[in-house]
Amino acid sequence: SVTRSLVAISTKTVDTISWTAPLIDAYLRMIRKQIRHLPVLGGSGELIGVISDRDLLRAMRDERADFLVTTGKPMEFEPEDLVRDWMSWPVETIDEKASVADAAGIMVERRISSLLVVREGDLVGIVTSTDLLKLLMKPEAGPIHRAVESLEATFARWPVGQVSQALANAGI
């Protein structure tokens, strides 16, 4: 549900990359892992930003390139480009105890596609717009399911509902 903890839906094993890594390394890792976001760590291991597929698209020399569909030739970046040159910062985080609704609200308000989930400042996960859509699609957690349950409960209290249930229980 939208009130559940973010830890329940966030990716728990989060790859990170150094801010001084070559941009091509971030691109290759994201392709290999089939992910769209990499948290970026500073020189002391602190969380300082995130590099996303959108950031990589901005940095590519071939503007016709599609991030997930390659044309047989590798994407090209300037050789001297580092992650720090293209990452998004300041880092957008949310506490692990926040609700899914809180995360969705922040993502919509700030027009971002991910939030890094933290516990006392330490990275413990990442929640993306895809995670939120997957949650919405789950029948037991989605708003449609809750609406149906509410209607069924209301309908069951009406005399016609009781008759309908009795007929359904009898296989009619």
Side-chain angles (χ1 to χ4, degrees):
S1 80
V2 292
T3 58
R4 83 167 62 174
S5 166
L6 286 177
V7 174
I9 70 159
S10 67
T11 303
K12 280 119 185 124
T13 305
V14 181
D15 280 331
T16 59
I17 195 160
S18 169
W19 73 317
T20 59
L23 194 58
I24 188 69
D25 290 357
Y27 170 76
L28 293 173
R29 184 176 305 171
M30 291 167 76
I31 290 294
R32 188 175 59 252
K33 301 276 186 170
Q34 296 183 356
I35 57 177
R36 298 181 328 154
H37 306 88
L38 267 176
V40 179
L41 303 180
S44 302
E46 73 280 12
L47 190 57
I48 62 169
V50 67
I51 188 91
S52 72
D53 56 348
R54 290 181 193 165
D55 298 325
L56 294 176
L57 283 171
R58 285 187 302 115
M60 286 183 186
R61 282 197 261 170
D62 183 354
E63 293 182 11
R64 298 168 291 132
D66 184 301
F67 182 70
L68 295 176
V69 180
T70 62
T71 58
K73 68 175 194 165
M75 299 306 141
E76 294 183 27
F77 300 98
E78 295 297 332
E80 66 277 359
D81 279 352
L82 302 177
V83 167
R84 69 178 174 219
D85 300 326
W86 294 95
M87 71 180 190
S88 297
W89 60 276
V91 66
E92 299 282 353
T93 64
I94 190 164
D95 188 85
E96 68 173 339
K97 293 179 182 148
S99 72
V100 172
D102 291 338
I106 291 169
M107 291 168 70
V108 167
E109 177 184 309
R110 296 183 188 163
R111 302 178 76 191
I112 56 176
S113 59
S114 71
L115 280 170
L116 302 179
V117 182
V118 294
R119 176 187 308 131
E120 296 177 12
D122 293 327
L123 181 65
V124 295
I126 183 170
V127 64
T128 67
S129 54
T130 301
D131 295 326
L132 297 176
L133 288 171
K134 285 178 182 176
L135 179 64
L136 183 63
M137 290 176 19
K138 289 182 180 179
E140 71 278 3
I144 294 171
H145 178 74
R146 288 192 302 278
V148 168
E149 281 183 337
S150 176
L151 287 172
E152 286 174 347
T154 301
F155 188 67
R157 290 190 298 263
W158 295 348
V160 71
Q162 294 167 356
V163 170
S164 296
Q165 187 61 51
L167 291 171
N169 290 343
I172 300 172

